[in-house]
Amino acid sequence: MYIKKILLIIVLAGIVVGGVFAYKVYDAFFLPNTQFNNEKAYVFIPTNTTEEELKTILEPLLLDVNSFEAAAKRKGYLNKIKGGKYAISKDMNNNEIIGVLRSKNIPVRVAFNNQETLVNLAGRIAAQIEADSISLLKAFNDVTFLKDNGFNKDTKLAMYIPNSYDFYWNISPEGFRDKMLKEYRRFWNDARLAKAKKIGLTPLEVSSLAAIVHKESAKIDERPKVAGLYLNRLRKKMLLQADPTVIYALKLHSGDFNKVIKRVLYKDLEIDSPYNTYKYAGVPPGPITMPDISAIDAVLNAKKHNYYYFVADVKNFGYHMFAETLAQHNRNKKQYIRWINSKKIMR
């Protein structure tokens, strides 16, 4: 009888211990463990994050970070922590959270506009993904990559088409660069390639001319007209004589791309640079900025007309006055010179 009581006590104790264990397991895996009120919270986990670093990242979002740690250990997640951006939903339990962190890396929307240098682009991208600007710039300037893909130090800017793209937040610098190459090739589809061939330019030459068009006019509806003017000049073997190329040459010479130059002086036209279209014929050796899609398409779909000259229209700011002859242009130019002098813009 005594032995039976002992056995019964042992069985009951086992049931109790088992129940407590089962509850703890259930608690660790299946009870809600979030403490935010929004429907979702986003977490960014850097590459090579340690267990302690992960706890620090998740702690503000969880009711009990220790129960998460226990569950993550049991599921083997802590040995394979993955970097990325993840969305944790309100009232998720540890089991669900681990499932998300294990396989639900979500992309981020990365956007950039026209940049004059790859240094500027690297800084812009580094603010949106995990990679730092130095590692990005190193990938952008990789000589072997550029050579293998038909670019050089002058044309490398053309590979980056300003737009919005989806990337994983933890993508490597080389991964980002390689995907941008794919986007560049996708952009230059058969239709655009055919249009470039029709006007006698390569895609890289189109980008170089489009960069000038982009700088000359901020008005998208005017850009095809400006592009048509420059194409007219190319066909006539005339110098492009584009002020933005001189400004770029001055910045390139000084190494200071933050310099603001509002007025091109006659002495500036003497700078000896392949980017100075007052001295050298044809399009520059590379783009002076990243032209946006509207500028590239403006060149590919340039408006046909007989204009060869243009100057800023001070009565309709942002737009230009166009002329077919130099005499007409000189008359138009007088009003611009009077205006710029009245504003005392000397540089």
Side-chain angles (χ1 to χ4, degrees), residues 44-110:
F44 294 86
I45 299 177
T47 303
N48 299 322
T49 291
T50 66
E51 180 179 336
E52 288 304 312
E53 289 169 340
L54 180 66
K55 287 177 64 177
T56 300
I57 292 169
L58 294 178
E59 189 167 15
L61 304 176
L62 304 183
L63 291 169
D64 184 355
V65 73
N66 292 323
S67 73
F68 167 83
E69 181 182 25
K73 279 182 179 178
R74 285 184 175 275
K75 300 202 73 171
Y77 169 72
L78 296 181
N79 297 322
K80 298 178 181 178
I81 298 173
K82 297 180 180 180
K85 176 185 178 182
Y86 301 93
I88 298 175
S89 298
K90 183 180 179 182
D91 293 332
M92 269 188 170
N93 57 48
N94 288 329
N95 190 55
E96 292 168 329
I97 295 170
I98 293 165
V100 165
L101 298 182
R102 180 169 272 161
S103 61
K104 298 293 176 65
N105 190 5
I106 58 178
V108 295
R109 178 56 59 93
V110 175

Side-chain angles (χ1 to χ4, degrees), residues 93-313:
N93 57 48
N94 288 329
N95 190 55
E96 292 168 329
I97 295 170
I98 293 165
V100 165
L101 298 182
R102 180 169 272 161
S103 61
K104 298 293 176 65
N105 190 5
I106 58 178
V108 295
R109 178 56 59 93
V110 175
F112 61 92
N113 56 6
N114 60 300
Q115 306 290 320
E116 285 190 350
T117 69
L118 288 181
V119 172
N120 292 342
L121 176 65
R124 183 70 180 267
I125 300 305
Q128 301 176 74
I129 65 174
E130 180 185 19
D132 62 77
S133 59
I134 294 174
S135 60
L136 283 165
L137 192 59
K138 182 180 179 181
F140 295 165
N141 286 319
D142 184 276
V143 175
T144 302
F145 169 84
L146 293 172
K147 184 178 179 181
D148 288 348
N149 292 288
F151 297 95
N152 57 39
K153 65 181 181 64
D154 293 310
T155 61
K156 60 189 178 183
L157 211 60
M159 198 187 90
Y160 302 90
I161 309 293
N163 208 339
S164 296
Y165 303 94
D166 288 333
F167 290 92
Y168 287 117
W169 177 75
N170 59 318
I171 191 170
S172 69
E174 294 77 16
F176 175 87
R177 176 202 64 196
D178 294 348
K179 184 173 179 183
M180 289 309 305
L181 176 62
K182 290 180 181 178
E183 294 292 344
Y184 172 83
R185 289 173 174 166
R186 184 179 293 116
F187 175 83
W188 281 104
N189 53 32
D190 290 343
R192 285 193 173 99
L193 289 173
K195 289 179 179 180
K197 185 176 181 180
K198 187 175 181 179
I199 60 176
L201 299 176
T202 67
L204 290 176
E205 288 172 331
V206 170
S207 293
S208 293
L209 187 58
I212 297 174
V213 172
H214 184 112
K215 284 288 189 179
E216 288 284 20
S217 181
K219 302 297 184 180
I220 292 176
D221 61 325
E222 187 187 55
R223 285 177 174 172
K225 192 173 183 179
V226 174
L229 183 149
Y230 281 124
L231 287 173
N232 286 345
R233 282 180 162 254
L234 287 174
R235 293 187 190 102
K236 286 283 189 178
K237 308 295 183 184
M238 296 171 63
L239 293 171
L240 294 184
Q241 295 186 326
D243 286 359
T245 67
V246 177
I247 293 172
Y248 182 84
L250 292 169
K251 290 181 176 181
L252 188 64
H253 178 73
S254 69
D256 182 7
F257 280 88
N258 293 318
K259 181 187 295 184
V260 177
I261 301 175
K262 296 182 178 180
R263 184 174 186 174
V264 174
L265 307 177
Y266 284 113
K267 67 177 183 178
D268 297 332
L269 305 183
E270 298 304 316
I271 185 170
D272 189 14
S273 167
Y275 286 93
N276 182 357
T277 55
Y278 280 83
K279 272 185 172 291
Y280 293 92
V283 298
I288 60 175
T289 190
M290 293 173 190
D292 66 23
I293 293 174
S294 71
I296 295 173
D297 284 342
V299 173
L300 297 176
N301 302 280
K303 189 172 182 179
K304 297 187 186 318
H305 53 63
N306 295 318
Y307 296 126
Y308 291 89
Y309 307 93
F310 72 128
V311 68
D313 187 348

